[in-house]
Amino acid sequence: KQWYQRRVRGLPTTTVCCNNNCLLDIMMRSALLLLALLSLTSSLCIWHKWYCNKDNGCGAIHGCSFGCEEGRCASSCMGACAAIEYGKYPEGCCTECKEWCYLEGADGGDIACSTNADCVPYKNNECNGRCAAF
């Protein structure tokens, strides 16, 4: 591989590739890195503005998202999607199907919150009603 040092005014010296084989190598490494990142992010919980419940036995791939939505704790869930996605995920876990519900508190009502962090103690609670498509 042929490399040369390039000095740009005001910046530190950088090493730059200067032939086609080297450029192809860099492109392949970049593509592999991008694919690895895409596979990681696509397999994580689907509601990216919420937290991912990885410790309920589902892991990051099938973990349900949970967080604060309109002042109440909520979670992704499997309602109608359970029939569509049957057998594709462990029981009690979630898929990329976008359904959600408010979580049920000890008194049978919704759980108030102002941030996603407020919902951490309730992330494994049952839905307070049906799953709804978002």
Side-chain angles (χ1 to χ4, degrees):
K1 296 179 182 178
Q2 294 181 357
W3 298 84
Y4 72 91
Q5 298 287 318
R6 178 172 76 176
R7 183 175 300 275
V8 177
R9 187 171 46 170
L11 296 174
T13 302
T14 58
T15 303
V16 179
C17 178
C18 64
N19 69 24
N20 287 340
N21 289 338
C22 184
L23 291 174
L24 181 61
D25 183 48
I26 290 172
M27 288 171 47
M28 291 298 289
R29 288 175 191 244
S30 298
L32 286 173
L33 179 62
L34 178 63
L35 288 173
L37 287 173
L38 286 175
S39 69
L40 178 65
T41 57
S42 67
S43 66
L44 295 177
C45 295
I46 59 168
W47 303 107
H48 302 292
K49 65 181 181 177
W50 290 349
Y51 292 164
C52 186
N53 187 356
K54 298 178 196 172
D55 62 351
N56 63 350
C58 300
I61 294 174
H62 295 289
C64 298
S65 302
F66 69 95
C68 189
E69 184 69 26
E70 297 179 1
R72 297 182 279 176
C73 290
S75 174
S76 54
C77 57
M78 297 299 291
C81 291
I84 298 167
E85 301 281 330
Y86 183 77
K88 296 181 182 178
Y89 64 99
E91 186 176 335
C93 301
C94 295
T95 66
E96 292 182 357
C97 192
K98 293 197 172 195
E99 288 185 295
W100 68 282
C101 66
Y102 289 116
L103 294 173
E104 185 174 37
D107 63 355
D110 293 335
I111 303 164
C113 61
S114 56
T115 67
N116 289 339
D118 296 337
C119 300
V120 171
Y122 312 104
K123 64 185 175 184
N124 293 319
N125 285 25
E126 297 293 322
C127 288
N128 189 15
R130 295 181 17 201
C131 278
F134 205 9

